[in-house]
Amino acid sequence: MFAFAGQQRTEKAELPVITGDDLASHLGLVSGDYDRNFLETLISAATGAIEKDLRRALISQTWRFSFQGVGDKVRLPMAPAIALIGATIG
């Protein structure tokens, strides 16, 4: 088995899990009674914490993972994987 060496997000998700306006509507907040940027910051922080805890991506993202060692199996540290763009061994 390969040893996990590191990870780096190469592209952030194009869309958030939920928008600040959608969150405000869900919470029953009236336009002008909230700061949309603040709500979007909270959404981003909560999404990151949940993804880290679950070790799962909630929305499509692009990551680069590094592995060291030799073997015949690689376990990705985050799931689900939609596609593998490339792999280099050696």
Side-chain angles (χ1 to χ4, degrees):
M1 170 116 46
F2 289 90
F4 177 65
Q7 69 187 37
Q8 174 188 10
R9 186 183 342 226
T10 59
E11 291 181 31
K12 289 188 89 172
E14 291 182 25
L15 299 172
V17 173
I18 184 173
T19 67
D21 289 334
D22 288 340
L23 177 58
S25 175
H26 177 75
L27 295 173
L29 302 176
V30 179
S31 182
D33 286 349
Y34 63 91
D35 179 352
R36 181 186 313 149
N37 291 334
F38 178 68
L39 291 180
E40 290 172 354
T41 299
L42 292 176
I43 292 166
S44 179
T47 301
I50 291 167
E51 288 179 336
K52 182 178 180 182
D53 189 50
L54 295 178
R55 294 179 8 151
R56 294 193 165 271
L58 298 179
I59 48 182
S60 180
Q61 304 169 18
T62 303
W63 287 83
R64 177 182 316 271
F65 297 106
S66 301
F67 301 91
Q68 295 176 341
V70 295
D72 59 351
K73 295 182 181 180
V74 174
R75 184 179 306 250
L76 296 177
M78 183 176 286
I82 295 171
L84 174 64
I85 304 302
T88 303
I89 298 175

